[in-house]
């Protein structure tokens, strides 16, 4: 397993619509393992393939926040939301590609998601709470949408400007 570098916003690869995964290959298995390792290392509760520069429809998540409990790593390939509740939920979201910035985002409180597992089988499950928010945030990534696309243009611009500055500083530190 390899910890892969996480792309930071703004980056054109974070704005692309990703390609469906045709079948489970050793490359996909390795990508999923690397993505889980990268997510836990960050640490974060979700990570989508574009965030490590791979434009494929795959994300990983583990929204189990109780440190005493067993980890619940999930790998979702070609995920699709097949149902969403009318009830909405507001969560203060963040993103590993936009570190240190948070904003309240309103989304359906519950969603049903269909996906292809690493076992090659189709899965369907209903998610609520943080799991539902996380799944929707990650599926957004697969369509080139970031959580800041759900907030006001003014706040988005402020955050983007700060991120441009952060990336410039990091590039300078590496030089
Ligand atoms: Ni994110």
């Amino acid at each position: 397993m390899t910890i892969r570098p996480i792309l930071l916003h703004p980056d054109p690869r974070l704005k692309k619509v990703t390609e469906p995964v045709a079948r489970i290959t050793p490359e996909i298995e390795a990508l999923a393992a690397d993505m889980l390792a990268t997510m836990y290392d960050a640490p974060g509760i979700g990570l989508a393939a574009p965030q490590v520069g791979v434009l494929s429809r795959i994300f990983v998540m583990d929204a189990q926040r109780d440190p005493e409990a067993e980890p619940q790593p999930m790998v979702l390939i070609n995920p699709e939301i097949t149902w969403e509740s009318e009830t909405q939920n507001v969560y203060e979201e963040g993103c590993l590609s936009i570190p240190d910035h948070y904003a309240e985002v309103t989304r359906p409180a519950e969603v049903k998601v269909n996906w292809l597992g690493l076992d090659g089988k189709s899965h369907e499950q209903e998610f609520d709470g943080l799991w539902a928010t996380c799944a929707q945030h990650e599926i957004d990534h697969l369509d080139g949408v970031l959580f800041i696309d759900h907030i006001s243009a003014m706040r988005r611009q402020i955050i983007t400007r700060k991120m441009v500055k952060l990336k410039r500083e990091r590039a300078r530190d590496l030089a």
Side-chain angles (χ1 to χ4, degrees):
M1 276 182 301
T2 311
I3 310 271
R4 303 198 188 192
I6 297 175
L7 300 183
L8 294 179
H9 167 72
D11 187 297
R13 287 166 288 181
L14 294 173
K15 301 304 293 174
K16 293 260 177 11
V17 176
T18 55
E19 291 289 329
V21 174
R23 61 196 177 86
I24 310 299
T25 58
E27 286 74 25
I28 290 293
E29 287 171 345
L31 172 65
D34 287 357
M35 284 172 61
L36 279 169
T38 304
M39 178 189 81
Y40 285 123
D41 176 69
I45 61 167
L47 185 72
Q51 294 181 277
V52 292
V54 178
L55 298 178
S56 297
R57 296 194 82 76
I58 172 167
F59 78 88
V60 297
M61 70 173 168
D62 183 351
Q64 169 64 260
R65 279 186 303 179
D66 180 354
E68 310 272 292
E70 280 288 299
Q72 288 183 40
M74 296 191 77
V75 177
L76 293 88
I77 300 162
N78 302 339
E80 278 189 55
I81 294 172
T82 55
W83 172 84
E84 52 187 45
S85 65
E86 277 175 35
T87 315
Q88 306 276 302
N89 212 347
V90 182
Y91 256 108
E92 179 150 83
E93 295 189 21
C95 181
L96 293 175
S97 294
I98 316 175
D100 301 326
H101 295 282
Y102 303 90
E104 288 192 339
V105 178
T106 304
R107 301 181 189 269
E110 293 163 60
V111 287
K112 196 183 273 182
V113 182
N114 183 285
W115 74 92
L116 177 69
L118 282 176
D119 57 6
K121 291 178 185 152
S122 167
H123 296 256
E124 191 162 63
Q125 194 178 318
E126 228 173 280
F127 296 98
D128 62 9
L130 187 57
W131 287 90
T133 293
C134 185
Q136 292 172 83
H137 174 119
E138 301 309 329
I139 291 171
D140 267 358
H141 271 299
L142 304 180
D143 293 317
V145 175
L146 303 172
F147 82 90
I148 52 170
D149 294 317
H150 291 282
I151 64 177
S152 76
M154 193 194 274
R155 278 210 66 196
R156 181 163 59 246
Q157 281 161 18
I158 291 168
I159 290 173
T160 299
R161 235 175 271 139
K162 286 182 177 162
M163 286 299 303
V164 168
K165 191 162 168 258
L166 174 79
K167 288 183 77 174
R168 207 183 292 139
E169 282 164 6
R170 288 203 183 173
R172 202 179 298 144
D173 289 345
L174 287 174

